[in-house]
Amino acid sequence: MEQGTWLLKKGLAQMLKGGVIMDVVTAEHARIAEEAGACAVMALERVPADIRAAGGVARMSDPTKIIEIMEAVTIPVMAKCRIGHFVEAQVLEALGTDYIDESEVLTPADEAHHIWKHDFKVPFVCGCRDLGEALRRIGEGAAMIRTKGEAGTGNVVEAVRHMRAVQGGIKRLQAMGEDELMAEAKALGAPFELVLEVHRTGALPVVNFAAGGVATPADAALMMQLGADGVFVGSGIFKAEDPAPRAVAIVQAVTHYRDAKVIAEVSRGLGAAMSGIDVRTLPETEQLARRGW
Amino acid sequence: MKVGVLALQGDFQEHAAVLRRLGVEVVEVRQPEDMEGVGGLIIPGGESTTITRLLHRYGLVIPLRERIRQGMPVLGTCAGMIVLAKEARGLDREGLEVMDIVVQRNAFGRQIDSFEADIPIPALGGDPFHAVFIRAPIIEEVQAPGEALATLEDGTVVAAREGNMLVLAFHPELTADTRMHTYFLELVRTAAAETGLKEPSKK
């Protein structure tokens, strides 16, 4: 019997496919998310919109909060640690968290190195803006990838940019001859073996979700049609006027992402979405996606 | 021969890929009308809470239950097994409740307790099957005429069959061994041949 293997780590992400992972800050939120049909929840002290508003240093949540949420639901519970903060990750593993998000939403603890994730038995998900960044994280042991988008803005534009960059990068690699791959690996800053694998398979070796700015059922379906395997919704649900029906609607939009009739039906009468931020008005220092490399 | 894969949530694409490798036409099932012409159904791994909610929301419970009771072969892996069980401990919604088994959700614990193991499956013959258990359920009781197909070393039942219904606590769709899918497709072919005899007007 083997545990903590690569197959098990990336396998759990495969079970989450076609689903919605929701940010929750209380046990009550977690129950609403599970009731709506979330395939997992992300346990946080504050949703990204509030982290953004509060400023200061954002750290791993209080373990009490995470345990409370793990006890409230039966679906997988994820939690975030700071980029490079491997001790926060050790703590989350000790708590029994099902997945760790090494996340740019928290203030980075290391500006040069991400966590060496192969050392852990618990799987990790990491953010990316393009194919090179995705493959660097997978090289370090991330068993699941998500776009960074721009968390806490309710604006899907960055998630779209990042998903198109990843998908475009994959198509580009597929079209190349093998003699071009080493130069491309250098340009991408990505491990050669993974570049070769993507060239041969035409897909990332792990599941890729969309994240960072999804606020409506149509946003979620947009990300799915652009090639996401599933969707993270952070502030978009619990910062909206009426969270529960919006959560249900987003779950349905992800399942029926090619069926505009279903998306039209579930989008009706949801109340106001979270108020958004035009990402172009954010100074670079406040753009979370720029954290990590 | 068309085989449906329930595509509400979970690793349905992985199952579809195995079926296509075995030369089978695959239909992704999200609505009742997608079941037309489908001779067998796979209910994949995923989150059973999510899948059961969507089964109810899209009116799939009654039509799927009827088709399975009429003899359509069905394979449930992990969450799919939970959805098919008459009693699913730890699930807050009724699933299809067609197979006379009692299952326990998340029976081994959290993700760090997930494991891989080689288990003998006499029905398949040959080498043990490399089985991948991810936040897996177990089968606590199997009622006759259903029977256990595989157990762990400690006797825990992790695969069972009752006529046209086949359930596994693990994920054959995540490994290269296609014996389990081939075994299921044999049930689908047999059922199709029998239906063909009863209803000569249909293919």
Side-chain angles (χ1 to χ4, degrees), chain A residues 34-88:
Chain A
E34 184 174 54
E35 186 55 40
C39 65
V41 291
M42 177 77 70
L44 290 165
E45 265 183 16
R46 286 176 290 185
V47 294
D50 290 335
I51 291 174
R52 191 178 280 289
V57 175
R59 310 179 181 89
M60 176 188 78
S61 299
D62 183 328
T64 313
K65 184 103 305 183
I66 296 166
I67 291 166
E68 188 187 303
I69 289 165
M70 291 198 317
E71 284 171 355
V73 292
T74 61
I75 54 180
V77 176
M78 301 183 162
K80 290 184 193 287
C81 72
R82 284 179 266 178
I83 289 173
H85 205 315
F86 51 84
V87 175
E88 283 188 350

Coordinates of all heavy atoms in Angstrom, one line a residue, chain A residues 34-88:
Chain A
E34 N -21.7 23.7 0.4 CA -21.9 22.2 0.2 C -23.4 22.0 -0.3 O -23.6 21.2 -1.2 CB -21.7 21.4 1.5 CG -21.8 19.9 1.3 CD -21.4 19.2 2.5 OE1 -21.9 19.5 3.6 OE2 -20.5 18.3 2.5
E35 N -24.3 22.7 0.3 CA -25.7 22.6 0.0 C -25.9 23.0 -1.5 O -26.8 22.4 -2.2 CB -26.6 23.4 0.9 CG -28.1 23.3 0.8 CD -28.5 21.8 0.9 OE1 -28.0 21.1 1.7 OE2 -29.4 21.5 0.0
A36 N -25.2 24.0 -1.9 CA -25.3 24.5 -3.3 C -24.7 23.5 -4.3 O -25.0 23.6 -5.5 CB -24.7 25.8 -3.4
G37 N -23.9 22.6 -3.9 CA -23.3 21.6 -4.8 C -21.8 21.9 -5.1 O -21.3 21.4 -6.0
A38 N -21.1 22.7 -4.2 CA -19.7 22.9 -4.4 C -19.0 21.5 -4.3 O -19.4 20.7 -3.5 CB -19.2 23.8 -3.3
C39 N -17.9 21.3 -5.1 CA -17.2 20.0 -5.0 C -16.1 20.1 -4.0 O -15.5 19.1 -3.6 CB -16.7 19.6 -6.4 SG -15.4 20.8 -7.0
A40 N -15.8 21.3 -3.5 CA -14.8 21.5 -2.4 C -15.0 22.9 -1.9 O -15.6 23.7 -2.5 CB -13.4 21.2 -2.9
V41 N -14.4 23.2 -0.7 CA -14.4 24.6 -0.2 C -13.0 24.9 0.1 O -12.1 24.1 0.5 CB -15.3 24.8 1.0 CG1 -16.8 24.7 0.6 CG2 -15.0 23.8 2.2
M42 N -12.7 26.2 0.1 CA -11.4 26.8 0.5 C -11.7 27.5 1.8 O -12.4 28.5 1.8 CB -10.9 27.8 -0.6 CG -9.7 28.5 -0.3 SD -8.2 27.5 -0.5 CE -8.2 27.3 -2.3
A43 N -11.0 27.1 2.9 CA -11.2 27.7 4.2 C -10.3 28.9 4.4 O -9.1 28.8 4.3 CB -11.0 26.6 5.3
L44 N -10.9 30.0 4.7 CA -10.2 31.3 4.8 C -10.7 32.1 6.0 O -11.7 31.8 6.5 CB -10.5 32.2 3.6 CG -9.9 31.8 2.2 CD1 -10.6 32.6 1.2 CD2 -8.4 32.0 2.2
E45 N -9.8 33.0 6.5 CA -10.3 33.9 7.5 C -11.0 35.1 6.9 O -12.0 35.6 7.5 CB -9.1 34.5 8.2 CG -8.8 33.7 9.5 CD -7.6 34.3 10.3 OE1 -7.2 35.4 10.1 OE2 -7.2 33.6 11.2
R46 N -10.6 35.5 5.7 CA -11.2 36.6 5.0 C -11.2 36.2 3.5 O -10.3 35.6 3.0 CB -10.4 37.9 5.2 CG -10.6 38.5 6.5 CD -9.7 39.7 6.7 NE -8.3 39.3 6.7 CZ -7.3 40.2 7.0 NH1 -7.5 41.5 7.1 NH2 -6.1 39.7 7.0
V47 N -12.3 36.6 2.8 CA -12.3 36.4 1.3 C -11.3 37.4 0.7 O -11.0 38.5 1.3 CB -13.7 36.5 0.7 CG1 -14.5 35.3 1.2 CG2 -14.3 37.8 0.9
P48 N -10.8 37.2 -0.5 CA -9.8 38.1 -1.1 C -10.2 39.5 -1.1 O -9.4 40.4 -0.9 CB -9.6 37.5 -2.5 CG -9.9 36.0 -2.3 CD -11.0 36.0 -1.3
A49 N -11.5 39.8 -1.4 CA -12.0 41.2 -1.5 C -11.7 41.9 -0.1 O -11.3 43.1 -0.1 CB -13.4 41.3 -1.8
D50 N -11.9 41.2 1.0 CA -11.7 41.8 2.3 C -10.2 41.8 2.6 O -9.7 42.8 3.3 CB -12.4 40.9 3.4 CG -13.9 41.1 3.3 OD1 -14.4 42.2 2.7 OD2 -14.7 40.2 3.7
I51 N -9.4 40.9 2.1 CA -8.0 40.9 2.3 C -7.4 42.2 1.6 O -6.6 42.9 2.2 CB -7.3 39.6 1.7 CG1 -7.6 38.4 2.6 CG2 -5.8 39.8 1.6 CD1 -7.2 37.1 2.0
R52 N -7.9 42.4 0.4 CA -7.5 43.5 -0.4 C -7.9 44.8 0.4 O -7.1 45.7 0.4 CB -8.3 43.5 -1.7 CG -7.8 44.4 -2.8 CD -8.6 44.2 -4.0 NE -8.2 43.0 -4.8 CZ -7.0 43.0 -5.5 NH1 -6.2 44.0 -5.5 NH2 -6.7 41.9 -6.2
A53 N -9.1 44.9 0.9 CA -9.6 46.1 1.6 C -8.8 46.3 2.9 O -8.5 47.5 3.3 CB -11.0 46.0 1.9
A54 N -8.4 45.2 3.6 CA -7.8 45.4 4.9 C -6.3 45.8 4.8 O -5.8 46.5 5.7 CB -7.9 44.1 5.7
G55 N -5.7 45.3 3.7 CA -4.2 45.6 3.6 C -3.4 44.9 4.6 O -3.9 44.0 5.3
G56 N -2.2 45.3 4.9 CA -1.4 44.6 5.9 C -0.9 43.3 5.4 O -1.0 43.0 4.2
V57 N -0.3 42.4 6.3 CA 0.2 41.1 5.9 C -1.0 40.1 6.0 O -1.6 40.0 7.1 CB 1.4 40.7 6.8 CG1 1.8 39.3 6.5 CG2 2.5 41.7 6.6
A58 N -1.2 39.4 4.9 CA -2.2 38.3 5.0 C -1.5 37.0 5.1 O -0.6 36.7 4.4 CB -3.0 38.3 3.7
R59 N -1.9 36.2 6.2 CA -1.2 34.9 6.5 C -2.2 33.8 6.4 O -3.4 33.9 6.3 CB -0.7 35.0 7.9 CG 0.2 36.3 8.2 CD 0.6 36.3 9.6 NE 1.4 37.5 9.9 CZ 0.9 38.6 10.4 NH1 -0.4 38.7 10.6 NH2 1.7 39.7 10.6
M60 N -1.7 32.6 6.7 CA -2.5 31.4 6.8 C -3.6 31.6 7.9 O -3.3 32.3 8.8 CB -1.6 30.2 7.3 CG -2.3 28.9 7.6 SD -1.2 27.7 8.3 CE -1.1 28.3 10.0
S61 N -4.7 31.0 7.7 CA -5.8 31.2 8.6 C -5.5 30.5 10.0 O -4.7 29.6 10.0 CB -7.1 30.6 8.1 OG -7.5 31.2 6.9
D62 N -6.2 31.0 11.0 CA -6.2 30.4 12.3 C -6.6 28.9 12.2 O -7.7 28.7 11.6 CB -7.1 31.1 13.2 CG -7.1 30.6 14.7 OD1 -6.8 29.4 14.9 OD2 -7.2 31.4 15.6
P63 N -5.8 27.9 12.7 CA -6.3 26.5 12.6 C -7.7 26.2 13.1 O -8.4 25.4 12.6 CB -5.2 25.8 13.4 CG -4.0 26.6 13.3 CD -4.5 28.0 13.2
T64 N -8.1 27.0 14.1 CA -9.4 26.8 14.7 C -10.5 27.0 13.6 O -11.4 26.2 13.5 CB -9.7 27.9 15.8 OG1 -8.6 28.0 16.6 CG2 -10.9 27.6 16.6
K65 N -10.3 28.0 12.8 CA -11.2 28.3 11.7 C -11.2 27.1 10.7 O -12.3 26.7 10.3 CB -10.7 29.6 11.0 CG -11.5 30.1 10.0 CD -12.4 31.2 10.3 CE -13.3 31.5 11.3 NZ -14.1 32.4 11.6
I66 N -10.1 26.6 10.4 CA -10.0 25.6 9.4 C -10.6 24.3 9.9 O -11.4 23.6 9.2 CB -8.5 25.3 9.0 CG1 -8.0 26.6 8.3 CG2 -8.4 24.1 8.0 CD1 -6.5 26.6 8.1
I67 N -10.4 24.0 11.2 CA -10.9 22.8 11.8 C -12.4 22.9 11.8 O -13.2 21.9 11.5 CB -10.3 22.5 13.2 CG1 -8.9 22.1 13.0 CG2 -11.1 21.4 13.9 CD1 -8.1 22.2 14.3
E68 N -12.9 24.1 12.2 CA -14.4 24.3 12.3 C -15.0 24.0 10.9 O -16.1 23.4 10.8 CB -14.5 25.8 12.6 CG -15.9 26.3 13.0 CD -15.9 27.8 13.1 OE1 -15.1 28.3 14.0 OE2 -16.6 28.5 12.4
I69 N -14.4 24.4 9.9 CA -14.9 24.2 8.5 C -14.8 22.7 8.1 O -15.7 22.2 7.5 CB -14.3 25.2 7.5 CG1 -14.8 26.6 7.8 CG2 -14.5 24.8 6.1 CD1 -14.0 27.7 7.2
M70 N -13.7 22.1 8.5 CA -13.5 20.7 8.1 C -14.6 19.8 8.8 O -15.1 18.8 8.3 CB -12.1 20.2 8.5 CG -11.0 20.8 7.7 SD -9.5 19.9 7.7 CE -9.2 19.5 9.4
E71 N -15.0 20.3 10.0 CA -16.0 19.5 10.8 C -17.4 19.8 10.3 O -18.3 19.0 10.5 CB -15.9 19.9 12.3 CG -14.7 19.2 12.9 CD -14.4 19.6 14.3 OE1 -15.1 20.6 14.8 OE2 -13.5 19.0 15.0
A72 N -17.6 20.9 9.5 CA -18.9 21.3 9.1 C -19.4 20.6 7.8 O -20.6 20.5 7.6 CB -19.0 22.8 8.9
V73 N -18.4 20.2 7.0 CA -18.8 19.6 5.7 C -18.1 18.3 5.4 O -17.1 18.0 6.1 CB -18.5 20.6 4.5 CG1 -19.4 21.8 4.6 CG2 -17.0 21.0 4.5
T74 N -18.7 17.5 4.5 CA -18.1 16.2 4.1 C -17.3 16.3 2.8 O -16.6 15.3 2.4 CB -19.2 15.2 3.9 OG1 -20.0 15.6 2.9 CG2 -20.0 15.0 5.2
I75 N -17.3 17.4 2.1 CA -16.6 17.6 0.9 C -15.1 18.0 1.2 O -14.8 18.4 2.3 CB -17.2 18.6 -0.1 CG1 -17.5 19.9 0.6 CG2 -18.6 18.1 -0.6 CD1 -18.1 21.0 -0.2
P76 N -14.2 17.9 0.2 CA -12.8 18.2 0.5 C -12.7 19.7 1.0 O -13.4 20.5 0.5 CB -12.1 18.0 -0.8 CG -12.9 17.0 -1.5 CD -14.3 17.3 -1.1
V77 N -11.7 19.9 1.9 CA -11.5 21.2 2.4 C -10.0 21.6 2.0 O -9.1 20.9 2.3 CB -11.7 21.3 3.9 CG1 -11.3 22.7 4.4 CG2 -13.1 21.0 4.3
M78 N -9.9 22.7 1.4 CA -8.6 23.3 1.0 C -8.3 24.4 1.9 O -9.2 25.0 2.5 CB -8.6 23.8 -0.4 CG -9.0 22.8 -1.5 SD -8.9 23.5 -3.1 CE -8.8 22.0 -4.1
A79 N -7.0 24.8 2.0 CA -6.6 26.0 2.8 C -5.4 26.6 2.1 O -4.6 25.9 1.4 CB -6.4 25.6 4.2
K80 N -5.2 27.9 2.4 CA -4.1 28.6 1.7 C -2.9 28.8 2.7 O -3.1 29.1 3.8 CB -4.6 30.0 1.3 CG -5.6 30.0 0.1 CD -5.9 31.5 -0.3 CE -7.1 31.5 -1.2 NZ -6.8 31.1 -2.6
C81 N -1.7 28.7 2.1 CA -0.5 29.1 2.8 C 0.2 30.2 1.9 O -0.1 30.3 0.7 CB 0.4 28.0 3.1 SG 1.3 27.3 1.6
R82 N 1.1 30.9 2.5 CA 1.8 31.9 1.8 C 2.8 31.3 0.8 O 3.4 30.2 1.1 CB 2.6 32.9 2.8 CG 1.7 33.8 3.5 CD 2.4 34.7 4.4 NE 2.4 34.2 5.8 CZ 3.0 34.7 6.8 NH1 3.7 35.8 6.7 NH2 2.9 34.2 8.0
I83 N 3.1 32.0 -0.3 CA 4.1 31.5 -1.2 C 5.4 31.3 -0.5 O 5.9 32.3 0.2 CB 4.3 32.5 -2.4 CG1 3.0 32.4 -3.3 CG2 5.5 32.1 -3.2 CD1 3.0 33.4 -4.4
G84 N 6.0 30.1 -0.6 CA 7.3 29.9 0.0 C 7.3 29.5 1.5 O 8.3 29.2 2.1
H85 N 6.1 29.7 2.1 CA 6.1 29.4 3.6 C 5.8 27.9 3.9 O 4.7 27.5 4.1 CB 5.0 30.3 4.2 CG 5.2 30.6 5.7 ND1 5.6 29.6 6.6 CD2 5.2 31.7 6.4 CE1 5.8 30.1 7.8 NE2 5.5 31.4 7.7
F86 N 6.9 27.1 3.8 CA 6.7 25.7 3.9 C 6.2 25.2 5.3 O 5.7 24.2 5.5 CB 7.9 24.9 3.4 CG 9.2 25.3 4.0 CD1 9.6 24.9 5.2 CD2 10.0 26.3 3.3 CE1 10.8 25.3 5.7 CE2 11.2 26.7 3.8 CZ 11.6 26.2 5.1
V87 N 6.5 26.1 6.3 CA 6.0 25.7 7.7 C 4.5 25.9 7.8 O 3.8 25.0 8.3 CB 6.8 26.4 8.8 CG1 6.2 26.1 10.1 CG2 8.2 26.0 8.8
E88 N 4.0 26.9 7.2 CA 2.5 27.0 7.1 C 1.9 25.8 6.4 O 0.9 25.2 6.9 CB 2.0 28.3 6.4 CG 2.2 29.6 7.3 CD 1.6 30.8 6.6 OE1 1.2 30.8 5.4 OE2 1.5 31.8 7.3

